[in-house]
Structure formats: structure tokens, C-alpha cells
Amino acid sequence: MLFVLVVILAVSAGRGNGESLYDKDDPILELDVDTFNPAIYGVKKAHFVEFYSSWCGACIGYAPTFKKFAKQLEKWAPLVQVTVVNCADDKNMPLCREHSVSSYPSLRYFKYNSASKDDGMKYSGDKYDINKLAHDIAGLAQADAQRQNPENWPTFLPLSDSTTLEDVFKSIGSTPYLAIVVQDSPSVIAWSNLINYHGNNALKVAYVEQKHQIASKFFSDGGAHAMLFSNGNAEPMWKSSSPIEKWLDVQEKVEELIGDKIAARSPTIQPVNAAPVIAAPSNPLNNQFEVQLVDLKSAMSYMLYKEIPRREEIRDEPLAALKQWMHTLKKYAPGTTPMRRLFFRLDEWIQLRSVVTANEWTAKVDEIQQALGNPLPREITWMACAGSKPNLRGYTCGLWTLAHTITVEAYKQEKHNTAFKPVIDVLEPFRAFIFHFLSCSECAQNFTKEAEKNQLHLVTRAEDVYAWLWRVHNFVNKRLSGSLTDDPSFKKQQFPPKSVCPDCYDSNGEIDEAKALPFVFKYYSNIKTDPAENVPGYKVVEYKEGKTLSAGQRHLNPKFQVHAGKVDQLEANEKVKNVLDASPQRTWKDIDGYDNIPESSRTHWYFIWLSLIAVALIVVYCKYRKNRSKFWKTFYYQNDFKL
């Protein structure tokens, strides 16, 4: 019972209650499908949006960087709001698909007064260089100002060549402080500080190009500089002694000198719309070292319903990769017969397509699911792959497990087949699918690098189909061990660990492949069918001679054979049956123009003929009864006369 509770509480990554990577203390506006459009479109500010997935390892690793970036841009919120959307939340899937977000994290800039998704500009720069990122956003905001001339925005224009320092003091009125930035176009340091201090009543920011008289009076090296003045004082309180490279250098100096005298306007930021955190309790029964059919089903379901249809259209290389992967799943997918028939039919359908839309794909999966009795669940549940938090392990664990079971099944089927090509038939389709459809973009790219590093193209022996993937998985675990993506309750380690297979290690504590590989083969062949929920029970009582001997609660056996039989013959039989069911059982001949009689008239003719036949049968029966009675009377009296 406790184990069932663990499973129920272990809400998966990708469910509607997906855990947010950001919290209320972060100066970040988190939106969802209901709040996105009102917050972004027709609003007198710009937005810089991160579309992320809470289970994505790259997103988990990037979150601290993005939090730091958002904190630095906290004062920019009245003009440029830092925003996030969690695409792992089921209800946000239509929103993320609408914006063609197929990999995470994905950064978009939505201009001032955006009208539709087409106004979202994808950011392709280095997202980890947050100084450059801020400068680029300032450049986008400046371009907005030039095109649209937004009300209540700074002008983003340098001082004219004729403007003197005295003129600037007069223009700022009673504002006590003035900062002047010296930089030629693109003046990203100046633009960043214009945004940062816009609306501050105690400090105004202006900028000049290097040829300006104010710049030449204080600097001669031609680099970017900054100065801080008190109003009316021609000598600066501070001026940079060497060229500056970051907009933050100006802010840090201003805060140091007059931070207590300029109370910056606090931007109004809506609280983060984070979902509640539901963690799986630590329990020794929640064994991660098992291959559970529940996890395989959930991984398949998430793959088919969430990962593949993220983009509006699938064509060209991604479609070719999807066709290869479906063909591999058709042959080697683990699971029950209906699960494998699902991939058989998907493969047949997609091989004939040149373009597949997200709606077509989802509709086809639904159609086949319904025809086969819904072998895959829509509700995602993790058992052995459950993490200590909803966004840890889950799908990535399930996908690795699925890949391992496929490679083991391929070896079982093909170990004596000399035409079997491990790379072409199994490993390359998996790599290509990961590269094109794993929404964690960095994870996908890193797997391709691992494939090249571990010489995927040299795999030729049938047994290496599962051995190669096992080695690569251990390399990945070693690289990610201790990272932010590592679940603290289920640390990444080399598989199999000593606790599971002590004999798999040599005297030096290193994995002995000769002993480990048979264990790996056996491990991924043993697919457990433990139920995710309690199986309905029934009471059994045994009696003998009127006395109760024993009583107990029994359960229906949840186990069934996995990988039983071949689905190709079942599908062939199904096609024959469908053809027969669709064909007419009788072919009517055209007798005297009978085929020309309307259908309604034929119904009347049937009734008339049946009525005539019934009358004839009644007449025959009556005659028979009458003659029978006459016969017996004659026989009786004739015999009596004889006697």
C-alpha cells in the first residue's frame, strides 16, 4: 500500500503539475497558456521570454544563469520584462507548439506592443554570456524605439554635437545627478543604462559619441567611458580611468557613490505562477534498479503525445529520422502485443507521408490507440524512474530504459542473422531521433557528440548493439554526476552499481565487462509488470465438512507475457478480416431487371415472398395432420375387423 502511495505522489515530469524552475523570489514573470496573450500582446513594453521544460537537463543547468541575468535586469521591467513559460506543463503544450518551440531552453524577444507570435524574435546568441545578452536586448529595445517611438520610453538618441554640459544640466531640471556615457554606435552600454535608470527621478542618463566636445574634454583614448556629475557641477564626481566593457560597471559605480540617494522605482512584477512541488517520498520500496513496464509505457506515451508533435510540421530530415525510429520500434519495441501493434501501424502509416502536421500525428496516434484498446496511458506515471522532484529523472530515465530494452530485444531476434546491421537498424535511428526530437537541445547535441566520440559507425557485431549503448550511458552518467541535473536522492553512477552486481567489478574496483554485459542483458530482458495501482481483490474461503479451514484476500494476476508472438502475422490476419467484413456476402444476379428495382421496393418484395412461403408451410402442415389422422383411423378399424 505504501508503495502505491509513493507511485501516486511521484508526479511525472511533463504532467500538468510540472514543477517550475523559478520561484517567487526571482524577478521573473512566469506565464502560461491562459496568461500569455494578455501579458505579451498589445502591451506597452517588450518581453524577453525563456520557453523551458522543467525536466530538461539543459534547462535545469541554465536556470541559475537565467536567474542571475533576471536579477541584473530587475530594474528594466517597466520597459523590458524578463519572462518564462514552462512547456513541460501539459496545458502549455498548445502555446509552445504555436510558437514552434521544439527545443529547450529557447529564448525569444517580443517587441514593444507585439501583436502576434510572429513578433517573437528568436535569440541565437550566447545565452550564457549574460553581459552580452543584456547588451543585445538593449540593442533590440533601441531598434524598437527607433521604429515605433513608444510613449514613455527614452529616446535612445545621443546628444547633438552642439549640446554643452550646461545645456544638459538645464534639460534635467532639478534632478540631482547626471550620468554621461561615451560610446560610438552601437552604444549598447549607454542604451542599457538608459533602460536601467529610466523613470528614476534622482538620476538621468545621457550619452555622447566619442567625437563630441564633452567626450574629448575628459577622454582621449577613444574607448567607451562613463562619468557621474552632480547637477550644475562641471567637474565629475567620478569618471572611468580606463575603457569600460560592461553596462554593469556603470551601475556598480553609481550604486557605490550615490546608491542611498537614488531610490530607484521598484518595477511591478506579477508573482511567479509556479505549480506546487510534489516530491516522491524517500522509500526503500521505490527501487530505481528495475525495468518496469509502467515506465516504458509512460516514456512511449510522452514521446508520442508530447515530444514528437512539438513542431507544427515535420518534414525533410526530421521526418526521415522519425520514419527510421518508427521502423525500429515496429521491430524491437518492448511491451505487450497491443503496444507493439501500435508501432507497427504507425510505421506503416508514416512511411507513406512526405509531410506530417502535429494535429495529423496526434489524431493518428489517437485513432490507433482507440482501435487497440488504448495500450498506452495518457496519464504519465513513473515507478522506477520516479525522481525526488517531479522534474527530475522521469522522461529522460524512461527514454534511456526504452533504448536499452530495444537494443537487448534486437540482439535476441538478430543474433544469428548475418544481415543484421546494428548501426543502420537500431543505433543510428535512435541517435537521429534524439537529435531531432529530444526537446532538451543541449542533451540532444551532447548525445551526438558522444556517438562520434565512441565511434558509433564502427559497431558491427550483433552483441555490440546493446553493449555500445550501455558504455555510452555510463560515459554520460560520469559526465553529469554531481551536476544540477543530478537527483540528490538518486545519484548518477556507473551501471550496474556494486550494490546490484558486486561480481561485476574486479579487484581494482573497476567494472569487468566480461561479467557486466551478461548482467546488463539479463537486466533489460526482465521487464517487470508491477501495477501502478492496487489490483481489485476478491475473498476466498476454504471449507471442509462444514468447517472453515482458511480465508484470505487474493488478487487477479497482473502479469502477462511481454514480447509474446509476432505482430506482423496478427496485423496481416487483421487486414484479411477487415477485407472480408467490408465485402458483401452474396452477389445478386440480374434476373429480369431485378437490380433495377429500388431498395425500398426490394424490401416489400422480400416481405411478400416470405409471407407466401409461410402460407405454403401452414397448408402443407395442415394436410399432413389430416392425412395422418385418416391413416391411423383406417389402420385401427381394419385391424379390428380382421380380429
Side-chain angles (χ1 to χ4, degrees), residues 171-210:
S171 68
I172 66 173
S174 60
T175 304
Y177 297 100
L178 168 69
I180 295 182
V181 179
V182 179
Q183 188 180 28
D184 286 342
S185 185
S187 309
V188 290
I189 295 176
W191 298 337
S192 298
N193 281 282
L194 278 170
I195 298 172
N196 193 55
Y197 290 107
H198 177 66
N200 192 300
N201 296 324
L203 175 67
K204 298 298 181 184
V205 177
Y207 79 98
V208 296
E209 295 180 335
Q210 292 171 349

Side-chain angles (χ1 to χ4, degrees), residues 4 146 188-189 343 382 415 536 542:
V4 175
Q146 293 296 98
V188 290
I189 295 176
F343 290 112
W382 304 114
K415 58 185 175 182
E542 294 184 11

Side-chain angles (χ1 to χ4, degrees), residues 293-305 307 343 376-377 380-382 385 394-403 433:
L293 186 64
V294 170
D295 292 330
L296 295 175
K297 285 183 175 182
S298 293
M300 292 174 179
S301 179
Y302 195 87
M303 174 183 69
L304 295 179
Y305 282 109
E307 289 287 270
F343 290 112
L376 296 182
I380 305 301
T381 303
W382 304 114
C385 281
Y395 176 62
T396 50
C397 168
L399 191 59
W400 273 114
T401 306
L402 175 62
F433 173 77

Side-chain angles (χ1 to χ4, degrees), residues 588-603 605-606:
W588 292 94
K589 299 293 184 180
D590 183 6
I591 302 176
D592 296 332
Y594 181 82
D595 285 347
N596 296 324
I597 300 175
E599 188 65 30
S600 58
S601 298
R602 292 186 183 186
T603 303
W605 278 107
Y606 293 152

Side-chain angles (χ1 to χ4, degrees), residues 46-47 68 97 101 105 123 129 137 142 231 249 302 351 383-384 391 418 439 482 516 585 589 617 636:
H47 291 80
K68 183 179 179 181
R97 185 180 299 146
V101 182
Y123 180 78
D129 186 346
I137 292 174
Q142 186 268 348
N231 195 346
D249 294 340
Y302 195 87
Q351 298 302 332
M383 290 182 68
N391 64 304
T418 57
S439 54
Q585 299 301 308
K589 299 293 184 180
L617 289 173
Y636 173 76

Side-chain angles (χ1 to χ4, degrees), residues 84 149 181 205 233 245 280 302 310 324 388 409 425 433 436 441 446-447 493 527 535 583:
V84 293
N149 192 26
V181 179
V205 177
N233 193 336
E245 297 180 353
Y302 195 87
R310 287 195 186 279
Q324 290 177 341
S388 60
E409 180 60 26
D425 295 338
F433 173 77
H436 289 288
S441 57
N446 286 334
F447 185 78
Q493 55 187 311
I527 300 176
V535 179
S583 302

Side-chain angles (χ1 to χ4, degrees), residues 333-348:
T336 62
T337 299
M339 291 166 61
R340 291 158 52 226
R341 293 179 76 174
L342 168 66
F343 290 112
F344 189 99
R345 297 185 186 185
L346 273 177
D347 176 65
E348 281 196 334

